[in-house]
Amino acid sequence: MNSPSQQRMDDLLTAFVGSFGKLDDLEVFPEIDPIAAALTADEPDQYGMVQWQPRRLETDTSSLEALYAKLPTRFPPLFERLLLTYRWAEVDLETYRLLPNPHGSDLQGFLGQMTRDKGLWDALIPAGFIQFGRGPGIDYDPVCFDVSSRTKHRDMRIVKIDHEEILCNYKVKVVAELAPSFFELLQDTITLASRAQGTR
């Protein structure tokens, strides 16, 4: 049985993951996005598109250790729990996109997504920023945990970094704060999704 604090986390994450389909149509071409294709049981529609769904999948906590061997600190507990209980493709939540957490027995797929752009990875980690998302739409700016803001409860502020400053000038420049903590980012996303559903 879950502890009360874990149950609260799970309730919040259920609402957060439930917001995916309210803010993003979750439709992709399977040949372009194999991660999403692995999360659908439907046949492609007349245009060749499929609709994926986030999937609940309990993963052993030991899977986190391979990630933490590469990172300067641990994730906020709420993000840890998200990684360990759900799998998803890239999803656009209007103010940011989440990197995919592909289906699998461990979290190596998520680590692969974090390290995929070596230029960004090599600049962000030494500067104390851990990428877990990107800007919305076609915005390539990494969305990160700011390690320098880490609290005693292991939460961190969420910032957006200018990717062109890294790739062109080798500078890590924060261009926006999306939320003071991951907890508040989730709450903001859930609120945005409830408003979006109300306008449909």
Side-chain angles (χ1 to χ4, degrees):
M1 177 178 274
N2 290 348
S3 66
S5 60
Q6 184 172 306
Q7 188 60 56
R8 284 194 293 271
M9 278 202 292
D10 285 353
D11 291 345
L12 181 60
L13 290 176
T14 297
F16 174 64
V17 172
S19 73
F20 289 8
K22 298 171 186 174
L23 296 171
D24 189 322
D25 61 18
L26 308 183
E27 291 183 339
V28 297
F29 290 104
E31 61 274 14
I32 294 175
D33 191 342
I35 295 173
L39 294 170
T40 179
D42 296 334
E43 292 297 317
D45 65 15
Q46 59 182 327
Y47 305 107
M49 300 186 79
V50 293
Q51 186 173 54
W52 65 273
Q53 294 293 327
R55 188 169 299 172
R56 176 100 187 197
L57 178 67
E58 292 285 345
T59 307
D60 194 278
T61 56
S62 63
S63 297
L64 289 166
E65 298 314 311
L67 274 65
Y68 290 146
K70 307 277 189 182
L71 300 177
T73 192
R74 299 175 71 91
F75 292 124
L78 196 56
F79 190 73
E80 278 189 351
R81 186 71 182 150
L82 177 65
L83 284 176
L84 292 171
T85 52
Y86 287 97
R87 301 305 174 109
W88 63 89
E90 182 178 88
V91 56
D92 193 328
L93 300 173
E94 293 198 3
T95 58
Y96 62 99
R97 287 176 288 161
L98 273 183
L99 294 180
N101 186 20
H103 199 278
S105 59
D106 55 25
L107 298 174
Q108 287 300 305
F110 184 72
L111 179 61
Q113 292 297 317
M114 294 173 69
T115 60
R116 189 173 181 179
D117 189 319
K118 191 172 186 302
L120 294 182
W121 171 260
D122 287 347
L124 292 169
I125 292 299
F129 297 100
I130 304 173
Q131 184 181 9
F132 69 94
R134 296 189 183 96
I138 59 171
D139 184 347
Y140 197 68
D141 286 351
V143 170
C144 304
F145 295 111
D146 176 4
V147 174
S148 69
S149 67
R150 189 174 184 267
T151 69
K152 65 179 181 180
H153 300 297
R154 289 188 12 231
D155 213 338
M156 295 173 260
R157 75 177 184 135
I158 310 303
V159 298
K160 191 150 82 86
I161 309 288
D162 188 328
H163 79 280
E164 290 187 348
E165 279 291 313
I166 292 176
L167 301 179
C168 299
N169 301 316
Y170 307 104
K171 293 181 181 176
V172 177
K173 180 182 177 183
V174 175
V175 291
E177 179 182 293
L178 300 189
S181 67
F182 186 65
F183 174 78
E184 289 176 79
L185 182 72
L186 261 60
Q187 289 189 314
D188 291 346
T189 304
I190 293 165
T191 299
L192 187 63
S194 66
R195 290 174 183 163
Q197 187 177 34
T199 61
R200 291 181 179 179

